[in-house]
Structure formats: C-alpha cells, structure tokens
Amino acid sequence: MIRLDILERAGGVYADIDTIFHRAVPDELWEAESVIGEEAPVYYPDTPEAEPSLSNAFLMSRPGAWFITEWRRRIIGAMDGTWSGHSCRLATRLAREEPGRIRVEPSARFAPFGHTQDGIRSLLEEPLDPTALEGTSSVHL
C-alpha cells in the first residue's frame, strides 16, 4: 500500500527490488497518466480458469492519477487471502473499468518471463535468444 500512497501523492516510478532494468522506458510512456504491465495469467480459487493479470511490480504514475487513487481506495476491501487479489487482480479490474485512465503495456515490456515453472526456467536455465528482449524495459525476477 505504501507504493500506492507515494505514487498518489508524488507520482513517479515504482519498481520491485527484484527488477532488473534492461533499457530505458520509451518516452511515450512518460506522457501517460499511469502505466502498468501485463503479467502471466493467475489462477484464483473462485474461478476455474486462469484470469488475465496486471503486475504490481512496475508502476508509473502522475500525482493524483485516477488509477492509483482508486486502487488505493479499494485495496483493503479486495483483500481475500490470495497473494494477488488486492493487487494484481484488483488492478486488472480497475483497468477494465476505466481503460482510458491507464496505459497497459504487454508483458514483454516489464515482465517477459512468466511466474510459472516454464517462465522461471526460461529466465534462469535456458539460453536467451539475443532478440528476445528487444521490447523489454525491465525484467521482474
């Protein structure tokens, strides 16, 4: 919640401590009110299939941005005991609610390796194709 409090008040960039920056964030992203990236789909106990998900590991925002303010306002009520119900799942729902208020980047931009066994294997064990990270600004480990 602290990341949202700070972004709401001051704006800026938030990145989890396990983020490696690969190249600069494109200039056009700095013009958006808020920016978030997709991540691998997530399974929740109340749904039979994985749901699309937005990652809370890298965020950009202007001060007072609707997306960040609304996320912070609703976060306590969204806590459901899962690791991402109040964060990634809520962010995904907010982005669908007001798509013009948040720029959603494809997973290749900030989370090119999914939080699955295959994604972790690709990151840590397999040789990397030199062109694989061409559209990547950062990698969330």
Side-chain angles (χ1 to χ4, degrees):
M1 288 183 256
I2 294 170
R3 72 183 96 184
L4 298 179
D5 291 340
I6 293 169
L7 287 172
E8 182 180 16
R9 185 179 65 244
V13 174
Y14 167 84
D16 276 0
I17 196 168
D18 60 340
T19 300
I20 296 174
F21 287 88
H22 177 64
R23 67 171 36 101
V25 173
D27 291 342
E28 64 268 15
L29 297 188
W30 294 100
E31 298 169 14
E33 182 177 328
S34 297
V35 177
I36 195 168
E38 295 175 334
E39 66 178 5
V42 174
Y43 286 92
Y44 293 97
D46 62 344
T47 57
E49 297 181 15
E51 293 181 11
S53 187
L54 298 179
S55 173
N56 65 359
F58 182 91
L59 305 167
M60 297 174 68
S61 180
R62 292 184 189 158
W66 177 88
F67 183 81
I68 299 298
T69 300
E70 196 61 21
W71 191 358
R72 180 60 176 95
R73 188 180 74 76
R74 296 188 199 183
I75 200 166
I76 299 295
M79 290 186 171
D80 61 5
T82 64
W83 67 270
S84 72
H86 63 286
S87 57
C88 304
R89 192 180 209 188
L90 177 56
T92 303
R93 290 177 174 174
L94 288 171
R96 286 184 184 150
E97 197 176 296
E98 292 279 343
R101 308 296 296 271
I102 180 78
R103 180 169 175 153
V104 177
E105 287 293 291
S107 60
R109 172 72 57 209
F110 305 121
F113 302 98
H115 48 71
T116 62
Q117 286 182 345
D118 288 341
I120 293 167
R121 186 178 304 108
S122 294
L123 172 65
L124 300 175
E125 296 178 4
E126 297 174 1
L128 185 62
D129 172 357
T131 63
L133 299 178
E134 285 182 2
T136 300
S137 294
S138 65
V139 176
H140 179 231
L141 302 176

